Amino acid sequence: MICLIDHNLKGHALVFFGAIASQGWLDIVPIQFVTFDELDLPTDSDDRVVWCLAQKNQMVLLTANRSMKGKDSLEQVMREENVAESLPVVTIGNADRLLSDPEYRGRCVESLVEIALSLDSYCGARRVFIPS
């Protein structure tokens, strides 16, 4: 599973990916994190551009706070564009807690691994909040 890391989660992603790796999950399930920089995607890209790029490239968007209002908000884009085959947007419920609370971070890891192990069953779900 390839996760496109929202631009405001770069530091969080390092900690999160480190937790995934240190728990040995990468030996069981291939999870890759990709940044906006790696895709030459401007950090001020609107939600429609980000969601469509993620879908086109078969990536799960990992976010914490994408917009909920406007014609190009993530919520509106998912309502208009989501189909049964669309990969979900995975939203971390509390990004700051991911950094500061090892138990919470562990629950986020478990939730993301569960999604990766059965990604097909999450297609079409639009948004999945972690930890579950």
Side-chain angles (χ1 to χ4, degrees), residues 39-128:
L39 299 176
D40 293 322
L41 183 63
T43 58
D44 62 351
S45 296
D46 69 39
D47 292 353
R48 187 172 300 276
V49 168
V50 173
W51 188 87
C52 289
L53 179 77
Q55 294 301 316
K56 178 183 172 189
N57 291 289
Q58 291 293 291
M59 295 183 287
V60 169
L61 176 59
L62 182 65
T63 188
N65 65 350
R66 279 274 156 179
S67 174
M68 299 290 278
K69 295 179 182 175
K71 68 179 180 67
D72 289 323
S73 71
L74 184 57
E75 189 63 32
Q76 187 63 37
V77 171
M78 289 187 299
R79 287 179 185 164
E80 293 173 5
E81 305 275 349
N82 197 67
V83 295
E85 297 81 24
S86 296
L87 293 173
V89 171
V90 175
T91 302
I92 299 170
N94 187 328
D96 291 333
R97 193 169 168 199
L98 176 82
L99 294 177
S100 64
D101 183 345
E103 188 270 330
Y104 183 84
R105 184 168 46 251
R107 289 181 25 230
C108 288
V109 166
E110 290 171 7
S111 294
L112 190 65
V113 167
E114 177 185 316
I115 292 166
L117 288 172
S118 46
L119 187 57
D120 288 345
S121 67
Y122 287 91
C123 288
R126 291 200 317 207
R127 187 186 299 262
V128 178

